[in-house]
Every structure is written in C-alpha cells, then in structure tokens.
Amino acid sequence: MEKKREGFGSRTAVIFAMAGSAIGLGNIWRFPYMVGEHGGAVFVLIYIVATILFSLPIFVAEVIIGRRSHTNARDAFVKLAPGKPFWRLVSILPIVIPTIIASYYSVIGGWSLEYFIKACSLDFLRTAPDMATDLFGGFVSSTWVPVIMHLVFLAMSAVVVALGVKAGIEKFSKFILPVLFILIVLIALYSMSLPGAGEGVRYLFWADFSEFTPRTFAYALGQSFYSLSLGMGIIITYGSYVRKDENILASSAGTAVSDLMFALLAGLAIMPAVFAAGIEPGAGPGLIFQSIPYIFCKMGQEAPTLSTIASVLFFFTVIVAAMTSLISLIEVGTAFLVEKFGMKRVRAVFAMFLICGTAGVLCSLSFGPLSGLTVAGMNIFDIFDWVASNILLLIMAFLSVVFVGFVMKKEDVRDEFTNGGAKRRNAPLFNAVYFLIKWVAPIAVLLIFFTNFIL
Ligand code: PFF
C-alpha cells in the first residue's frame, strides 16, 4: 500500500493523534489491575519514574526514527541503515507484536461490548451491588457469549480497517477523548466519595516498600511501554507524519503526560471502588468489570437515571477508545500483507481477522473451559500478554534506542531533536536526552529484561 506522506497540521493534532493511540484499554483496564497485582503504590511510583526517565526518551527516539526516515515502521530501519541485514530482520517485530496484542485486546473489547449492552438493557439497575462480581464471573467463564462478543468486536474494527475510514474515526476520537477525560474525572469523584474509598486512594499513593520485588520493575516498565504504544512501530509511523518544524520533545512530553494523567485518573476511579466493594485488588484482568459495575449498581439504587446514563456513556467510550486502538493494531498487519504479498486490502483484513480471531478465541476460552491450561500459573490470555508486553515490547524498545544511539549519526539525531538548530531551547537538553537514549534506557531495559527471567 502506498502510504500518503501527509503530515499532522499542528502540535495539538500530533498530541491528539498520539494520545489517541496511547490512551486506551491500557489505561482504563490494564493499569488498575497491574497496580493491584504488583503491590499498589510501589508499582505506581515506579511506573511514573519509569515513564519520565525511560519511556519518554524511548518515545523521543521512536519519533526521531519515524521523522528522519519519513516512512513506515518496517522500512524505517532499512532506510536509515541500508545494507544491514540485522535491521531488516528486526523490522518484522513491529508487525508481529501488534498482531499478538490485537488478539487479546479484542477479547477485552468484547467484554466492554457485553457490558455496554448490559448498561443499555438496564441490567445494573436490577443487580444488587454485591452481585456485580458474580455477574462478571458468570459471564467470563461461560463459553459462547465472550467468544461471540470478541468476534463481533474484532469484526466491527476490521470493517473500519477494510473501509479505511481513517478521517472519520480520527475526527471521532478527537471528540471522544475529551469526553472520556470528563467521564473518568466524574466517576473518580463519585468513586472517592463512597464509604471505604479512602483505603483505595491510600493503596494507590501510599507506598509500602515491603511489596517491592525486582519483578515490579519489569511489569511497571512493560506497562509504561504498553500504555505509550512503544516498541510496536506505531510511534515510528506517527513520527513519520510529524512536520519538520514540529518540536519533537514538546509533543512527546505532551503525549506522555496526558497518558500518565489518564492512567492515574483511571486508578482513582477504579481503586476506591475496588475497596468500597470489598474486591481483591489483585483480582486480575476482570478488575474493572467487577468494580465499575459495582458503582453503577450502587448508584442505580439512589439515582437510576443518572446511573443508566453514566454506565451507557462509560462503556460506550471504553468501546470507542478500545476500537480506535484495535484498528491501529490490525492496520499494521494489514498494511504489511498488502505491501509484502500484494494482497487486496479486503483479503488482507480478512486474513488478519482469521489470525487474531482464532488466537483471541483461545484467549477468551482461557477464562472458562481452557482455564486448566496454564504454564507457570499463567493461562493462555496471560501468556499472550506477558510475551508481548514483557518480552517483545522490551526487545523492540531496546533495539529502537540502540538504533538511535549507536547506528544513527549523533549529528542527525541532534538535527531532528533541535530541528536543525531552530529549536534553540532544546539544544541544551540534547546531551542529557541523548545520554538517556544511548546509555540509560538500553541498560535499564536489559537489566529489567534479565531480572524478569532470572528472579
Ligand atoms: N497504548 C494502547 C493502550 O494503552 O491501550 C495500546 C495500544 C494501542 C498499543 C494501539 C499500540 C497500538 F498501536
């Protein structure tokens, strides 16, 4: 497929587009349960520090690769390092990782769809708050409904990719992102007003260092990469659309801060509800589907209309946030099949649907009939997430910074960072950011990677 090399119009457009990819299920669904599984505030603290110290420089590095090469993620490495077979080989990773993630991302999208339907059919008004957990348990361990919801969600997203309605969906996400922000703030406020909610806020921000294990680092960094869509070729691709006069550091920092804020807000919406409902914070991937409905069921007893409007809006926005992300995940593989094998776009999308659909069915069943199938305590779903987020993403992020630090010429990197010297205020920061990219980020990722295996 010929990629149009049109660019983003302004800094706000860049931040919106990048934040649109970054903000998704990773913030609303994954972040809270990762916090719950990995020690609460210690995880949050490491996540914040890691985002600023490691993820932001890696983000900058990926944007630089994109803008310098001015091409898609697969060709970027080949173009900037011609005749180096290793980098040609590496360029396959940004195709494989999003495809693995898309498979299980769509399962969670399916859960959101089911909960959206529940909200529309007033199920939360009929359910006692204490039964919210059972409602989820019954749904997720059943065989057919979650599988069908996953396939429907994947099909909906695949249709959009096949139609290529990019402009529509992008405009839509620009509108929906602020709505999502407002909703999450309102839900956080309500959640924090519930009896027993203070415990949840404490759990998020009061670090208990006895909870710390070296693995906390690995998971916090994995979450940070995941949330910022790093190590997947997405930011490289978006970087290629960034205008030459755009300030890379400012746009990257803007995106990272919005993403971080959204994750913390989602934590504030969900953790107090978790504690108020007496749910175990380490409950895993189902955490938001147990705690948020608890809020809506409870609200339903006092203000049914408000509860219905809020629940319908909430799950609708989750669906849209998930869909815009899933679309970009499927698009990567689709574009690859079209470019590499000359497939027709519709066929390529169908192939992606079959691949992600089948893998996703296995992930979905791993909460029900296939739950006995585990490796080191992880079911199929967990394994997909772990391999992609804690191994492949780290490898790809590592290679991206090594590429900028050791393969690209320092002067070229400086040229991108300062826009050929035009961004004077960036110039004094260059050496520090370059040092973070060249030495700190790769060494940290390596250490974390090995800690993951050894400890
Ligand atoms: N960053 C997204 C999230 O936090 O939900 C996940 C994601 C979406 C990653 C799309 C990559 C991507 F292309």
Side-chain angles (χ1 to χ4, degrees), residues 21-27 98 101 105 223 225-230 232 234 259 324-326 328-329 332:
S21 162
I23 295 174
L25 290 175
N27 309 61
I101 295 184
Y105 208 84
Q223 170 62 23
F225 289 179
Y226 185 96
S227 194
L228 279 173
S229 308
L230 288 176
M232 293 188 222
I234 299 286
D259 189 60
T324 48
S325 297
L326 184 58
S328 64
L329 289 164
V332 181

Side-chain angles (χ1 to χ4, degrees), residues 101 112 123 194 198 204 215 226 240 248 268 282 315 357 370 404 418:
I101 295 184
S112 319
D123 266 17
L194 291 171
L204 268 180
R215 278 188 176 219
Y226 185 96
S240 75
I248 289 183
L268 278 176
F315 285 108
L370 298 183
V404 172
T418 59

Side-chain angles (χ1 to χ4, degrees), residues 61-194:
E62 290 201 7
V63 178
I64 288 179
I65 297 177
R67 192 167 77 170
R68 192 75 187 173
S69 65
H70 209 48
T71 184
N72 65 68
R74 202 169 58 86
D75 293 336
F77 293 100
V78 180
K79 191 167 166 187
L80 295 177
K84 298 217 168 107
F86 174 74
W87 293 104
R88 180 174 285 276
L89 201 69
V90 161
S91 63
I92 193 71
L93 273 178
I95 311 297
V96 174
I97 307 173
T99 306
I100 297 179
I101 295 184
S103 308
Y104 74 80
Y105 208 84
S106 166
V107 173
I108 310 301
W111 294 359
S112 319
L113 191 59
E114 167 72 8
Y115 269 71
F116 174 67
I117 296 170
K118 280 192 197 310
C120 291
S121 49
L122 311 183
D123 266 17
F124 298 135
L125 301 186
R126 288 191 288 267
T127 310
D130 292 344
M131 296 303 287
T133 314
D134 296 349
L135 195 69
F136 176 74
F139 159 65
V140 83
S141 58
S142 63
T143 306
W144 291 108
V145 187
V147 165
I148 292 168
M149 288 298 163
H150 146 62
L151 292 174
V152 169
F153 193 78
L154 187 63
M156 278 163 33
S157 313
V159 167
V160 179
V161 178
L163 292 174
V165 221
K166 250 190 123 209
I169 203 84
E170 270 186 21
K171 280 208 185 104
F172 192 48
S173 49
K174 245 191 219 172
F175 158 76
I176 215 79
L177 217 60
V179 176
L180 203 55
F181 253 103
I182 294 169
L183 270 174
I184 207 87
V185 168
L186 292 179
I187 293 176
L189 288 175
Y190 183 77
S191 181
M192 284 190 287
S193 74
L194 291 171

Side-chain angles (χ1 to χ4, degrees), residues 28 48 124 146 175-176 185 205 208 332 335 337 350 395 435:
I28 313 174
I48 295 173
F124 298 135
F175 158 76
I176 215 79
V185 168
F205 295 115
D208 171 4
V332 181
L337 291 177
F350 189 62
I395 294 179
F435 181 75

Side-chain angles (χ1 to χ4, degrees), residues 45-60:
L45 192 71
I46 298 173
Y47 168 75
I48 295 173
V49 175
T51 297
I52 297 164
L53 218 55
F54 309 131
S55 303
L56 184 54
I58 297 173
F59 198 100
V60 170

